[in-house]
Amino acid sequence: MEHVSKVPAADQALAILAHLAAQRGPVPAATIASALALPRSTVYHLLAVMQQRGFVVHLPEERRYGLGIAAFELSSGFSRQQPLARLGRPLVAGLVDRLGESGHLAVLHGRDVLYLVEERAPRRPSLVTDVGVRLPAHLTATGRAMLAELPPAQLRALYPDRAAFATRHPRGEGEADDDWSYGRLKRVLATVREQGWAGEHGEVTGGLASVGAAVLDHLGWPAAAIAITYPEDSAPELQPLVVPAVREATATLSKRILGAR
């Protein structure tokens, strides 16, 4: 954008905030200056201003800087305004119109997915993936798409043992397919990463299949996922159409949450 170069201080201040947001904890000013290739004097000056406004907090004993309460309030405002749902709803609706099958948008919440948008196609049955519903992430296409984008340490922290794998349905005699383990999850997610999309067949609702893909933020973190659900017996002819359509929609939403067109 042309006006960015005319306000370098604003650009540098935002770069510092973005850098701090990407770190696991507070960092020294010298580290910030080195990472962003900025003069130390400029970094100290900007940090002082941001500290006064509450966007940065200084930890004098550690000689480090971290995000302040004002930055947290920005995050809270982001959640209250539900931009993911607002930006994603027309994209999901467009997929539903184009494919004639139901679609939804979800976010990762711990080991669950939380559905924010649900668009039902005409003459299609209601789905369990209604707005506000939570389902085990490892069983859903949206959940698998997002879990595949997590760092290994984060994934392991979410699933430390077999007890972490909740099931959608009570397991009947002889049904070993619900016997999840961390090893099985890793194999499933490896396939997701290899093909660039996630699928599930009858694991959420019998007779229905889903294709999902992740929406990535500026750090490559899974901000959300979009999926289309259709009759399982229609998978051979529908899947080749659904996969590129869903991936295109998630790429568009990724650009939109970054402010790009």
Side-chain angles (χ1 to χ4, degrees), residues 175-187:
E175 290 184 315
D177 197 49
D178 283 338
D179 187 17
W180 280 86
S181 66
Y182 185 67
R184 179 183 175 186
L185 178 64
K186 286 203 303 181
R187 291 191 295 273

Side-chain angles (χ1 to χ4, degrees), residues 138 140 144-145 148 180-195 197-199 203:
H138 70 285
T140 69
R144 291 171 183 175
W180 280 86
S181 66
Y182 185 67
R184 179 183 175 186
L185 178 64
K186 286 203 303 181
R187 291 191 295 273
V188 169
L189 299 184
T191 299
V192 173
R193 285 189 287 270
E194 180 180 354
Q195 62 191 15
W197 57 274
E203 293 167 274

Side-chain angles (χ1 to χ4, degrees), residues 58-104:
H58 182 220
L59 306 175
E61 292 82 7
E62 301 180 31
R63 297 182 180 180
R64 293 171 181 260
Y65 291 84
L67 292 176
I69 189 66
F72 173 77
E73 289 172 348
L74 284 179
S75 175
S76 298
F78 180 89
S79 298
R80 286 193 301 272
Q81 293 178 21
Q82 296 186 312
L84 279 173
R86 291 174 182 267
L87 292 172
R89 183 171 288 107
L91 292 172
V92 175
L95 281 176
V96 172
D97 289 342
R98 175 179 170 186
L99 299 169
E101 303 293 343
S102 299
H104 41 262

Side-chain angles (χ1 to χ4, degrees), residues 133-215:
V133 168
R134 296 173 186 266
L135 291 176
H138 70 285
L139 297 180
T140 69
T142 51
R144 291 171 183 175
M146 290 184 282
L147 291 174
E149 300 295 339
L150 294 181
Q154 178 71 16
L155 184 68
R156 187 57 172 169
L158 286 175
Y159 297 95
D161 50 41
R162 287 180 179 269
F165 292 93
T167 57
R168 168 72 182 147
H169 303 291
R171 186 168 53 195
E173 184 177 353
E175 290 184 315
D177 197 49
D178 283 338
D179 187 17
W180 280 86
S181 66
Y182 185 67
R184 179 183 175 186
L185 178 64
K186 286 203 303 181
R187 291 191 295 273
V188 169
L189 299 184
T191 299
V192 173
R193 285 189 287 270
E194 180 180 354
Q195 62 191 15
W197 57 274
E200 65 88 12
H201 294 269
E203 293 167 274
V204 175
T205 301
L208 296 178
S210 297
V211 163
V215 177

